[in-house]
Amino acid sequence: MQLVTEDNITALAEQRWATAKDPRTALLMTALVRHLHDFAREVRLTEAEWMAAIQWLTATGQISDEKREEFILASDVLGLSMLVVQMNHQFAPEATPATVLGPFHIDGSPELGFGGDMSDDVTGTPLYLTGTVRSLDGSPVPGAVLDVWQADADGAYEAQLDVDEARLRAKYRAEPDGSYCVRTITPKGYSIPMDGPVGALIEQTAISHFRPAHVHFLLTADGFEPLITHLFEEGAEYLDSDVVFGTKQELVVRFVPREPGVTPDGGLSEVPWVLAEYDFVLQPCAPH
């Protein structure tokens, strides 16, 4: 019988998890055991602290559902989400950089045509986002799908609201020349949800719990790497203190106020509106 001590428990646990049938699982679990044990030793973790952590994880699971991913939010504010993005999406310098998905994406958004209004009757200043989707060599990517979503003027996403219809989200397709046009409302900076375990933890710090004004994009096209990214408003508050570390200079865009008149989709706006122009550059898939 092997007696367990503080000195040998890590090696024993690693040996057990190394028996995983899948080599990758064995690698992940043995490394996880090693780093968890190192953390506990470094901070001399107390039993009360261990129990508090267990209760926090339990509460994080309990508040999560099909509309709220509190564990993703936890990963975001710890910087883990952006680290994983950086490691797994090392695009060419010319490509549009990736950033975090966030906890509020919903599958199955309705498809709209060029310039279709995804804001419907949601209050806000009309915003037109327009530009092209192209490859690294400058050639257009016709038919690229732009899955777009954002928060409303109160900082709330559809996933946080008791609504039955799609709200401030839609899918668009790039035209044969790669051009796209999204109509929505100007976004505003907002606080992440502070009514859960993540918020309770942040309240114990001096960390800002706000995100700068942005619109989310998920771009997909045959032959290209999927691109999860945002467009941020130039000059917005919290660009330098984004709570989820998602801001990148390449994604900051001028939001230009325009007077009533012709809009990028060929329509006519009777009220002042805002124009933001951005060309997405996709990374071709690596050859197998």
Side-chain angles (χ1 to χ4, degrees), residues 77-141:
V77 302
L78 290 171
L80 179 60
S81 299
M82 271 305 298
L83 174 60
V84 173
V85 167
Q86 296 290 100
M87 291 190 299
N88 286 274
H89 300 281
Q90 297 183 359
F91 297 154
E94 303 85 0
T96 300
T99 187
V100 294
L101 176 67
F104 298 121
H105 177 258
I106 297 177
D107 291 326
S109 289
E111 292 199 15
L112 296 180
F114 189 86
D117 186 3
M118 77 176 202
S119 67
D120 200 8
D121 294 324
V122 180
T123 302
T125 302
L127 168 66
Y128 286 85
L129 297 156
T130 187
T132 62
V133 183
R134 52 187 174 86
S135 183
L136 293 178
D137 62 5
S139 58
V141 183

Short mmCIF file of all heavy atoms in Angstrom, two decimals, residues 77-141:
data_model
loop_
_atom_site.label_atom_id
_atom_site.label_comp_id
_atom_site.label_asym_id
_atom_site.label_seq_id
_atom_site.Cartn_x
_atom_site.Cartn_y
_atom_site.Cartn_z
N VAL A 77 -13.38 37.13 -18.30
CA VAL A 77 -12.82 38.13 -17.40
C VAL A 77 -11.48 37.68 -16.82
O VAL A 77 -10.69 38.52 -16.36
CB VAL A 77 -13.80 38.50 -16.27
CG1 VAL A 77 -15.11 39.02 -16.85
CG2 VAL A 77 -14.05 37.32 -15.33
N LEU A 78 -11.20 36.40 -16.84
CA LEU A 78 -9.90 35.90 -16.39
C LEU A 78 -8.84 35.99 -17.49
O LEU A 78 -7.66 35.71 -17.25
CB LEU A 78 -10.02 34.45 -15.92
CG LEU A 78 -10.80 34.24 -14.61
CD1 LEU A 78 -11.04 32.75 -14.37
CD2 LEU A 78 -10.07 34.86 -13.43
N GLY A 79 -9.26 36.40 -18.69
CA GLY A 79 -8.30 36.51 -19.79
C GLY A 79 -8.04 35.19 -20.50
O GLY A 79 -7.30 35.16 -21.48
N LEU A 80 -8.66 34.11 -20.03
CA LEU A 80 -8.42 32.80 -20.65
C LEU A 80 -8.99 32.74 -22.06
O LEU A 80 -8.36 32.18 -22.97
CB LEU A 80 -9.02 31.70 -19.78
CG LEU A 80 -8.87 30.27 -20.31
CD1 LEU A 80 -7.40 29.90 -20.47
CD2 LEU A 80 -9.58 29.28 -19.39
N SER A 81 -10.18 33.31 -22.25
CA SER A 81 -10.81 33.26 -23.57
C SER A 81 -9.91 33.91 -24.63
O SER A 81 -9.69 33.36 -25.71
CB SER A 81 -12.17 33.96 -23.54
OG SER A 81 -13.04 33.33 -22.64
N MET A 82 -9.38 35.12 -24.32
CA MET A 82 -8.52 35.80 -25.30
C MET A 82 -7.21 35.06 -25.50
O MET A 82 -6.67 35.03 -26.61
CB MET A 82 -8.26 37.23 -24.87
CG MET A 82 -9.30 38.22 -25.39
SD MET A 82 -9.54 38.19 -27.19
CE MET A 82 -7.92 38.66 -27.78
N LEU A 83 -6.68 34.43 -24.46
CA LEU A 83 -5.46 33.64 -24.62
C LEU A 83 -5.70 32.48 -25.58
O LEU A 83 -4.88 32.23 -26.48
CB LEU A 83 -4.99 33.11 -23.26
CG LEU A 83 -3.79 32.15 -23.29
CD1 LEU A 83 -2.57 32.81 -23.91
CD2 LEU A 83 -3.48 31.65 -21.88
N VAL A 84 -6.82 31.78 -25.42
CA VAL A 84 -7.14 30.66 -26.31
C VAL A 84 -7.34 31.15 -27.74
O VAL A 84 -6.89 30.52 -28.70
CB VAL A 84 -8.38 29.90 -25.79
CG1 VAL A 84 -8.83 28.85 -26.80
CG2 VAL A 84 -8.08 29.24 -24.45
N VAL A 85 -8.02 32.31 -27.90
CA VAL A 85 -8.20 32.89 -29.23
C VAL A 85 -6.84 33.19 -29.87
O VAL A 85 -6.59 32.85 -31.02
CB VAL A 85 -9.05 34.18 -29.15
CG1 VAL A 85 -8.98 34.96 -30.47
CG2 VAL A 85 -10.50 33.84 -28.84
N GLN A 86 -5.95 33.84 -29.10
CA GLN A 86 -4.65 34.22 -29.64
C GLN A 86 -3.84 32.99 -30.07
O GLN A 86 -3.17 33.00 -31.10
CB GLN A 86 -3.86 35.00 -28.58
CG GLN A 86 -4.47 36.33 -28.19
CD GLN A 86 -4.37 37.36 -29.30
OE1 GLN A 86 -5.33 37.60 -30.01
NE2 GLN A 86 -3.22 37.96 -29.47
N MET A 87 -3.90 31.93 -29.28
CA MET A 87 -3.12 30.73 -29.59
C MET A 87 -3.67 29.98 -30.80
O MET A 87 -2.92 29.36 -31.55
CB MET A 87 -3.08 29.81 -28.38
CG MET A 87 -2.28 30.33 -27.21
SD MET A 87 -2.02 29.08 -25.91
CE MET A 87 -3.71 28.70 -25.43
N ASN A 88 -4.99 30.02 -30.98
CA ASN A 88 -5.62 29.19 -32.00
C ASN A 88 -5.96 29.91 -33.30
O ASN A 88 -6.40 29.28 -34.26
CB ASN A 88 -6.90 28.56 -31.43
CG ASN A 88 -6.60 27.46 -30.45
OD1 ASN A 88 -6.41 26.31 -30.83
ND2 ASN A 88 -6.53 27.80 -29.17
N HIS A 89 -5.77 31.22 -33.34
CA HIS A 89 -6.09 31.99 -34.55
C HIS A 89 -4.93 32.92 -34.88
O HIS A 89 -5.06 34.14 -34.84
CB HIS A 89 -7.40 32.77 -34.37
CG HIS A 89 -8.58 31.89 -34.08
ND1 HIS A 89 -9.24 31.19 -35.07
CD2 HIS A 89 -9.19 31.57 -32.92
CE1 HIS A 89 -10.22 30.50 -34.53
NE2 HIS A 89 -10.21 30.71 -33.23
N GLN A 90 -3.82 32.34 -35.21
CA GLN A 90 -2.63 33.12 -35.56
C GLN A 90 -2.65 33.39 -37.07
O GLN A 90 -1.99 32.74 -37.85
CB GLN A 90 -1.37 32.37 -35.13
CG GLN A 90 -1.30 32.19 -33.62
CD GLN A 90 -0.03 31.51 -33.16
OE1 GLN A 90 0.83 31.14 -33.96
NE2 GLN A 90 0.12 31.35 -31.86
N PHE A 91 -3.47 34.39 -37.42
CA PHE A 91 -3.67 34.75 -38.82
C PHE A 91 -2.51 35.57 -39.35
O PHE A 91 -1.68 36.09 -38.58
CB PHE A 91 -4.96 35.56 -38.98
CG PHE A 91 -6.22 34.81 -38.61
CD1 PHE A 91 -7.36 35.50 -38.19
CD2 PHE A 91 -6.28 33.43 -38.67
CE1 PHE A 91 -8.52 34.83 -37.85
CE2 PHE A 91 -7.44 32.74 -38.35
CZ PHE A 91 -8.56 33.44 -37.93
N ALA A 92 -2.47 35.72 -40.66
CA ALA A 92 -1.49 36.60 -41.29
C ALA A 92 -1.73 38.03 -40.82
O ALA A 92 -2.85 38.40 -40.46
CB ALA A 92 -1.62 36.52 -42.81
N PRO A 93 -0.67 38.85 -40.80
CA PRO A 93 -0.83 40.24 -40.33
C PRO A 93 -1.90 41.02 -41.09
O PRO A 93 -2.52 41.94 -40.53
CB PRO A 93 0.56 40.85 -40.55
CG PRO A 93 1.49 39.69 -40.56
CD PRO A 93 0.72 38.55 -41.16
N GLU A 94 -2.11 40.67 -42.36
CA GLU A 94 -3.09 41.41 -43.17
C GLU A 94 -4.54 41.01 -42.84
O GLU A 94 -5.48 41.71 -43.21
CB GLU A 94 -2.84 41.18 -44.66
CG GLU A 94 -1.45 41.54 -45.13
CD GLU A 94 -0.45 40.41 -44.93
OE1 GLU A 94 -0.85 39.34 -44.41
OE2 GLU A 94 0.73 40.59 -45.26
N ALA A 95 -4.73 39.86 -42.20
CA ALA A 95 -6.08 39.36 -41.93
C ALA A 95 -6.71 40.11 -40.76
O ALA A 95 -6.02 40.61 -39.87
CB ALA A 95 -6.04 37.87 -41.63
N THR A 96 -8.03 40.18 -40.76
CA THR A 96 -8.75 40.77 -39.64
C THR A 96 -8.53 39.91 -38.40
O THR A 96 -8.73 38.69 -38.44
CB THR A 96 -10.25 40.85 -39.94
OG1 THR A 96 -10.45 41.67 -41.10
CG2 THR A 96 -11.02 41.45 -38.77
N PRO A 97 -8.11 40.51 -37.28
CA PRO A 97 -7.84 39.70 -36.09
C PRO A 97 -9.12 39.19 -35.44
O PRO A 97 -10.18 39.79 -35.54
CB PRO A 97 -7.09 40.67 -35.16
CG PRO A 97 -7.50 42.02 -35.62
CD PRO A 97 -7.74 41.93 -37.09
N ALA A 98 -8.97 38.05 -34.77
CA ALA A 98 -10.08 37.44 -34.05
C ALA A 98 -10.12 37.98 -32.63
O ALA A 98 -9.13 38.46 -32.09
CB ALA A 98 -9.92 35.92 -34.03
N THR A 99 -11.30 37.88 -32.04
CA THR A 99 -11.45 38.21 -30.62
C THR A 99 -12.50 37.27 -30.02
O THR A 99 -12.88 36.28 -30.66
CB THR A 99 -11.79 39.70 -30.43
OG1 THR A 99 -11.77 40.01 -29.04
CG2 THR A 99 -13.11 40.07 -31.02
N VAL A 100 -12.95 37.53 -28.82
CA VAL A 100 -13.77 36.57 -28.09
C VAL A 100 -15.19 36.45 -28.65
O VAL A 100 -15.75 37.41 -29.19
CB VAL A 100 -13.86 36.94 -26.60
CG1 VAL A 100 -12.50 36.80 -25.93
CG2 VAL A 100 -14.38 38.36 -26.40
N LEU A 101 -15.78 35.27 -28.51
CA LEU A 101 -17.16 35.06 -28.91
C LEU A 101 -18.12 35.73 -27.94
O LEU A 101 -19.14 36.30 -28.34
CB LEU A 101 -17.46 33.55 -28.95
CG LEU A 101 -18.91 33.15 -29.25
CD1 LEU A 101 -19.28 33.53 -30.69
CD2 LEU A 101 -19.11 31.65 -29.02
N GLY A 102 -17.80 35.69 -26.65
CA GLY A 102 -18.71 36.23 -25.64
C GLY A 102 -19.80 35.23 -25.31
O GLY A 102 -19.99 34.22 -26.00
N PRO A 103 -20.56 35.49 -24.26
CA PRO A 103 -21.55 34.52 -23.79
C PRO A 103 -22.95 34.65 -24.39
O PRO A 103 -23.85 33.91 -24.00
CB PRO A 103 -21.61 34.81 -22.28
CG PRO A 103 -21.32 36.28 -22.18
CD PRO A 103 -20.36 36.60 -23.30
N PHE A 104 -23.15 35.56 -25.37
CA PHE A 104 -24.52 35.85 -25.79
C PHE A 104 -24.81 35.56 -27.26
O PHE A 104 -25.83 36.01 -27.78
CB PHE A 104 -24.85 37.32 -25.47
CG PHE A 104 -24.79 37.64 -24.02
CD1 PHE A 104 -23.92 38.62 -23.55
CD2 PHE A 104 -25.58 36.96 -23.10
CE1 PHE A 104 -23.84 38.91 -22.20
CE2 PHE A 104 -25.51 37.25 -21.75
CZ PHE A 104 -24.64 38.23 -21.29
N HIS A 105 -23.95 34.80 -27.93
CA HIS A 105 -24.27 34.42 -29.30
C HIS A 105 -25.39 33.38 -29.30
O HIS A 105 -25.44 32.50 -28.44
CB HIS A 105 -23.05 33.83 -30.00
CG HIS A 105 -23.34 33.34 -31.39
ND1 HIS A 105 -23.53 32.01 -31.68
CD2 HIS A 105 -23.50 34.01 -32.56
CE1 HIS A 105 -23.78 31.88 -32.98
NE2 HIS A 105 -23.77 33.08 -33.52
N ILE A 106 -26.31 33.50 -30.27
CA ILE A 106 -27.43 32.56 -30.41
C ILE A 106 -27.41 32.02 -31.83
O ILE A 106 -27.31 32.78 -32.80
CB ILE A 106 -28.78 33.24 -30.13
CG1 ILE A 106 -28.84 33.75 -28.68
CG2 ILE A 106 -29.94 32.28 -30.39
CD1 ILE A 106 -30.13 34.50 -28.35
N ASP A 107 -27.49 30.70 -31.97
CA ASP A 107 -27.55 30.09 -33.29
C ASP A 107 -28.90 30.35 -33.95
O ASP A 107 -29.90 30.62 -33.28
CB ASP A 107 -27.33 28.58 -33.19
CG ASP A 107 -25.91 28.22 -32.79
OD1 ASP A 107 -24.98 28.96 -33.18
OD2 ASP A 107 -25.74 27.21 -32.08
N GLY A 108 -28.93 30.25 -35.27
CA GLY A 108 -30.19 30.31 -35.99
C GLY A 108 -30.75 31.69 -36.21
O GLY A 108 -31.97 31.86 -36.30
N SER A 109 -29.89 32.70 -36.32
CA SER A 109 -30.39 34.06 -36.59
C SER A 109 -31.05 34.12 -37.97
O SER A 109 -30.64 33.41 -38.89
CB SER A 109 -29.23 35.06 -36.53
OG SER A 109 -28.79 35.24 -35.20
N PRO A 110 -32.05 34.98 -38.14
CA PRO A 110 -32.73 35.10 -39.44
C PRO A 110 -31.81 35.71 -40.48
O PRO A 110 -30.93 36.52 -40.16
CB PRO A 110 -33.90 36.04 -39.13
CG PRO A 110 -33.46 36.82 -37.93
CD PRO A 110 -32.62 35.89 -37.12
N GLU A 111 -31.99 35.33 -41.74
CA GLU A 111 -31.20 35.88 -42.83
C GLU A 111 -31.89 37.13 -43.38
O GLU A 111 -33.10 37.15 -43.59
CB GLU A 111 -31.02 34.85 -43.94
CG GLU A 111 -30.15 33.68 -43.52
CD GLU A 111 -29.60 32.91 -44.72
OE1 GLU A 111 -29.66 33.44 -45.85
OE2 GLU A 111 -29.12 31.78 -44.51
N LEU A 112 -31.09 38.17 -43.58
CA LEU A 112 -31.59 39.42 -44.15
C LEU A 112 -30.81 39.74 -45.41
O LEU A 112 -29.66 39.33 -45.57
CB LEU A 112 -31.45 40.57 -43.14
CG LEU A 112 -32.26 40.48 -41.85
CD1 LEU A 112 -31.99 41.70 -40.98
CD2 LEU A 112 -33.75 40.36 -42.14
N GLY A 113 -31.42 40.51 -46.29
CA GLY A 113 -30.76 40.92 -47.52
C GLY A 113 -29.83 42.10 -47.29
O GLY A 113 -29.71 42.63 -46.18
N PHE A 114 -29.18 42.53 -48.34
CA PHE A 114 -28.24 43.66 -48.33
C PHE A 114 -28.92 44.88 -47.72
O PHE A 114 -29.93 45.37 -48.23
CB PHE A 114 -27.80 43.95 -49.77
CG PHE A 114 -26.68 44.95 -49.89
CD1 PHE A 114 -25.37 44.54 -49.80
CD2 PHE A 114 -26.96 46.28 -50.13
CE1 PHE A 114 -24.33 45.45 -49.93
CE2 PHE A 114 -25.93 47.21 -50.27
CZ PHE A 114 -24.61 46.79 -50.16
N GLY A 115 -28.40 45.38 -46.60
CA GLY A 115 -28.98 46.54 -45.94
C GLY A 115 -30.21 46.25 -45.11
O GLY A 115 -30.85 47.19 -44.62
N GLY A 116 -30.55 44.97 -44.92
CA GLY A 116 -31.70 44.63 -44.10
C GLY A 116 -31.53 45.13 -42.67
O GLY A 116 -30.42 45.14 -42.13
N ASP A 117 -32.64 45.52 -42.05
CA ASP A 117 -32.60 46.16 -40.73
C ASP A 117 -32.77 45.12 -39.63
O ASP A 117 -33.86 44.63 -39.39
CB ASP A 117 -33.70 47.21 -40.65
CG ASP A 117 -33.64 48.02 -39.36
OD1 ASP A 117 -32.70 47.80 -38.56
OD2 ASP A 117 -34.53 48.86 -39.15
N MET A 118 -31.69 44.79 -38.94
CA MET A 118 -31.78 43.80 -37.86
C MET A 118 -32.26 44.43 -36.56
O MET A 118 -32.53 43.73 -35.59
CB MET A 118 -30.45 43.08 -37.66
CG MET A 118 -29.38 43.84 -36.92
SD MET A 118 -27.91 42.78 -36.68
CE MET A 118 -27.13 43.61 -35.29
N SER A 119 -32.35 45.76 -36.53
CA SER A 119 -32.82 46.42 -35.30
C SER A 119 -34.33 46.45 -35.23
O SER A 119 -34.89 46.66 -34.15
CB SER A 119 -32.27 47.84 -35.23
OG SER A 119 -32.83 48.66 -36.24
N ASP A 120 -35.00 46.28 -36.37
CA ASP A 120 -36.46 46.30 -36.42
C ASP A 120 -36.98 47.56 -35.72
O ASP A 120 -36.70 48.66 -36.17
CB ASP A 120 -37.02 45.03 -35.80
CG ASP A 120 -38.45 44.75 -36.24
OD1 ASP A 120 -38.94 45.46 -37.14
OD2 ASP A 120 -39.07 43.83 -35.70
N ASP A 121 -37.69 47.42 -34.61
CA ASP A 121 -38.25 48.60 -33.94
C ASP A 121 -37.50 48.96 -32.66
O ASP A 121 -38.01 49.72 -31.83
CB ASP A 121 -39.73 48.36 -33.60
CG ASP A 121 -40.60 48.24 -34.85
OD1 ASP A 121 -40.30 48.95 -35.83
OD2 ASP A 121 -41.54 47.43 -34.84
N VAL A 122 -36.29 48.41 -32.48
CA VAL A 122 -35.53 48.72 -31.27
C VAL A 122 -35.05 50.17 -31.35
O VAL A 122 -34.53 50.62 -32.37
CB VAL A 122 -34.32 47.76 -31.12
CG1 VAL A 122 -33.53 48.11 -29.87
CG2 VAL A 122 -34.80 46.32 -31.08
N THR A 123 -35.20 50.90 -30.27
CA THR A 123 -34.87 52.31 -30.24
C THR A 123 -33.37 52.54 -30.34
O THR A 123 -32.57 51.85 -29.70
CB THR A 123 -35.38 52.95 -28.93
OG1 THR A 123 -36.79 52.75 -28.84
CG2 THR A 123 -35.06 54.43 -28.90
N GLY A 124 -32.99 53.53 -31.16
CA GLY A 124 -31.59 53.88 -31.29
C GLY A 124 -31.32 54.62 -32.58
O GLY A 124 -32.15 54.64 -33.50
N THR A 125 -30.14 55.23 -32.68
CA THR A 125 -29.75 55.93 -33.90
C THR A 125 -29.38 54.92 -34.97
O THR A 125 -28.57 54.02 -34.72
CB THR A 125 -28.54 56.85 -33.64
OG1 THR A 125 -28.88 57.77 -32.61
CG2 THR A 125 -28.15 57.60 -34.90
N PRO A 126 -29.96 55.03 -36.18
CA PRO A 126 -29.64 54.06 -37.23
C PRO A 126 -28.14 54.03 -37.52
O PRO A 126 -27.48 55.07 -37.60
CB PRO A 126 -30.43 54.57 -38.43
CG PRO A 126 -31.55 55.36 -37.84
CD PRO A 126 -30.99 56.00 -36.62
N LEU A 127 -27.59 52.83 -37.66
CA LEU A 127 -26.19 52.62 -37.99
C LEU A 127 -26.10 51.70 -39.20
O LEU A 127 -26.71 50.63 -39.22
CB LEU A 127 -25.46 51.98 -36.80
CG LEU A 127 -24.05 51.45 -37.08
CD1 LEU A 127 -23.09 52.57 -37.43
CD2 LEU A 127 -23.54 50.64 -35.90
N TYR A 128 -25.34 52.14 -40.20
CA TYR A 128 -25.04 51.31 -41.35
C TYR A 128 -23.58 50.89 -41.28
O TYR A 128 -22.68 51.74 -41.22
CB TYR A 128 -25.32 52.06 -42.66
CG TYR A 128 -26.79 52.21 -42.97
CD1 TYR A 128 -27.53 53.26 -42.43
CD2 TYR A 128 -27.44 51.30 -43.80
CE1 TYR A 128 -28.88 53.40 -42.71
CE2 TYR A 128 -28.79 51.43 -44.09
CZ TYR A 128 -29.51 52.48 -43.54
OH TYR A 128 -30.86 52.61 -43.82
N LEU A 129 -23.34 49.58 -41.28
CA LEU A 129 -22.00 49.01 -41.34
C LEU A 129 -21.82 48.45 -42.74
O LEU A 129 -22.60 47.58 -43.17
CB LEU A 129 -21.85 47.89 -40.31
CG LEU A 129 -21.99 48.30 -38.84
CD1 LEU A 129 -22.42 47.11 -37.99
CD2 LEU A 129 -20.68 48.85 -38.32
N THR A 130 -20.82 48.93 -43.43
CA THR A 130 -20.66 48.51 -44.82
C THR A 130 -19.19 48.39 -45.18
O THR A 130 -18.32 48.97 -44.53
CB THR A 130 -21.37 49.50 -45.76
OG1 THR A 130 -21.36 49.00 -47.09
CG2 THR A 130 -20.71 50.87 -45.73
N GLY A 131 -18.93 47.62 -46.22
CA GLY A 131 -17.56 47.39 -46.67
C GLY A 131 -17.52 46.15 -47.52
O GLY A 131 -18.52 45.80 -48.17
N THR A 132 -16.39 45.46 -47.52
CA THR A 132 -16.24 44.25 -48.32
C THR A 132 -15.68 43.12 -47.46
O THR A 132 -15.08 43.35 -46.41
CB THR A 132 -15.32 44.47 -49.52
OG1 THR A 132 -14.01 44.81 -49.04
CG2 THR A 132 -15.83 45.56 -50.44
N VAL A 133 -15.89 41.90 -47.94
CA VAL A 133 -15.24 40.72 -47.38
C VAL A 133 -14.30 40.21 -48.46
O VAL A 133 -14.73 39.94 -49.59
CB VAL A 133 -16.26 39.63 -47.00
CG1 VAL A 133 -15.53 38.45 -46.34
CG2 VAL A 133 -17.33 40.19 -46.08
N ARG A 134 -13.01 40.10 -48.13
CA ARG A 134 -12.06 39.67 -49.15
C ARG A 134 -11.00 38.76 -48.55
O ARG A 134 -10.89 38.61 -47.33
CB ARG A 134 -11.40 40.89 -49.80
CG ARG A 134 -10.80 41.90 -48.83
CD ARG A 134 -10.33 43.15 -49.56
NE ARG A 134 -9.87 44.20 -48.65
CZ ARG A 134 -8.65 44.28 -48.17
NH1 ARG A 134 -7.75 43.35 -48.49
NH2 ARG A 134 -8.29 45.26 -47.36
N SER A 135 -10.23 38.17 -49.44
CA SER A 135 -9.14 37.27 -49.04
C SER A 135 -7.85 38.07 -48.87
O SER A 135 -7.80 39.28 -49.14
CB SER A 135 -8.96 36.19 -50.10
OG SER A 135 -7.97 35.26 -49.69
N LEU A 136 -6.79 37.39 -48.45
CA LEU A 136 -5.51 38.06 -48.24
C LEU A 136 -4.98 38.71 -49.50
O LEU A 136 -4.30 39.74 -49.45
CB LEU A 136 -4.47 37.06 -47.71
CG LEU A 136 -4.70 36.48 -46.32
CD1 LEU A 136 -3.61 35.48 -45.99
CD2 LEU A 136 -4.75 37.58 -45.27
N ASP A 137 -5.29 38.11 -50.67
CA ASP A 137 -4.79 38.65 -51.94
C ASP A 137 -5.67 39.77 -52.49
O ASP A 137 -5.42 40.28 -53.59
CB ASP A 137 -4.63 37.54 -52.98
CG ASP A 137 -5.95 36.86 -53.32
OD1 ASP A 137 -7.02 37.31 -52.85
OD2 ASP A 137 -5.92 35.86 -54.06
N GLY A 138 -6.69 40.17 -51.74
CA GLY A 138 -7.56 41.26 -52.18
C GLY A 138 -8.77 40.83 -52.97
O GLY A 138 -9.65 41.66 -53.25
N SER A 139 -8.86 39.55 -53.32
CA SER A 139 -10.01 39.08 -54.11
C SER A 139 -11.25 38.99 -53.22
O SER A 139 -11.16 38.67 -52.03
CB SER A 139 -9.71 37.72 -54.73
OG SER A 139 -9.39 36.78 -53.73
N PRO A 140 -12.43 39.30 -53.78
CA PRO A 140 -13.66 39.26 -52.97
C PRO A 140 -14.01 37.84 -52.57
O PRO A 140 -13.62 36.86 -53.23
CB PRO A 140 -14.71 39.85 -53.91
CG PRO A 140 -14.18 39.61 -55.29
CD PRO A 140 -12.69 39.70 -55.17
N VAL A 141 -14.77 37.74 -51.48
CA VAL A 141 -15.27 36.44 -51.02
C VAL A 141 -16.80 36.48 -51.13
O VAL A 141 -17.49 36.78 -50.15
CB VAL A 141 -14.83 36.14 -49.57
CG1 VAL A 141 -15.30 34.74 -49.16
CG2 VAL A 141 -13.32 36.24 -49.44
#
